[in-house]
Amino acid sequence: MSEPIINLASVNLDRLAARERRIVEAVYRLEEATVGEVLDALDDAPSYSAVRAILYTLVQKGVIDFRNVKNKYLYRPVLPKDSAQKSMIRNLLENFFAGSPTKAVAALLDVACSEMIYADYSELKNLVEKARKENR
């Protein structure tokens, strides 16, 4: 494989197939990994050659990058994790919550409410206030 030319503006995590997305998520969790390490990180994983082929496809799509160390390819995400998270949240908002952050937060609170502590609610309140001030 040759080093790809990456155009960060063209990286589109929203358009990945389900299996591609699972592999990208594993690479983000691992930060940098070999094919075998990605394979081990997946539940119900496809074959080694399938993971290798999908990683190659993700390199071609500009989502994953790699480097060769001692004849091993180490794969890593192209986008920083926070950028990828924002991209996925935008997609989630558009596709599942009609672009409404309020509906998304309400669903999140509904799902996570039992695990939240007072400090979580306080932090959420501070984040909302900060966002309100920045949007003036």
Side-chain angles (χ1 to χ4, degrees):
M1 283 189 244
S2 62
E3 291 286 335
I5 297 172
I6 309 274
N7 175 1
L8 291 179
S10 71
V11 175
N12 192 344
L13 298 175
D14 304 342
R15 305 276 186 241
L16 298 179
R19 186 165 275 175
E20 290 175 332
R21 191 171 25 257
R22 285 183 44 226
I23 288 175
V24 169
E25 289 167 356
V27 173
Y28 269 103
R29 279 193 310 275
L30 298 167
E31 297 179 4
E32 185 173 64
T34 64
V35 174
E37 290 167 337
V38 171
L39 186 65
D40 291 343
L42 296 172
D43 294 331
D44 192 29
S47 68
Y48 181 93
S49 59
V51 171
R52 187 181 64 217
I54 293 168
L55 284 166
Y56 178 77
T57 299
L58 292 167
V59 168
Q60 297 305 307
K61 289 182 175 185
V63 175
I64 298 293
D65 194 9
F66 70 94
R67 63 189 180 109
N68 189 338
V69 176
K70 296 182 182 177
N71 293 324
K72 281 190 175 183
Y73 290 114
L74 294 174
Y75 296 90
R76 62 184 179 262
V78 169
L79 288 177
K81 193 170 190 173
D82 64 331
S83 296
Q85 288 171 333
K86 288 176 184 174
S87 173
M88 296 307 287
I89 291 291
R90 270 190 230 86
N91 183 46
L92 190 68
L93 278 173
E94 288 175 21
N95 291 314
F96 292 98
F97 299 101
S100 170
T102 303
K103 290 179 183 177
V105 170
L108 180 62
L109 289 172
D110 187 46
V111 170
C113 192
S114 63
E115 289 125 31
M116 292 179 69
I117 59 174
Y118 180 80
D120 293 327
Y121 291 107
S122 182
E123 185 177 354
L124 279 174
K125 180 181 174 189
N126 291 337
L127 290 169
V128 168
E129 288 301 317
K130 180 181 175 190
R132 182 179 290 152
K133 288 176 185 174
E134 290 175 359
N135 283 333
R136 285 187 187 190

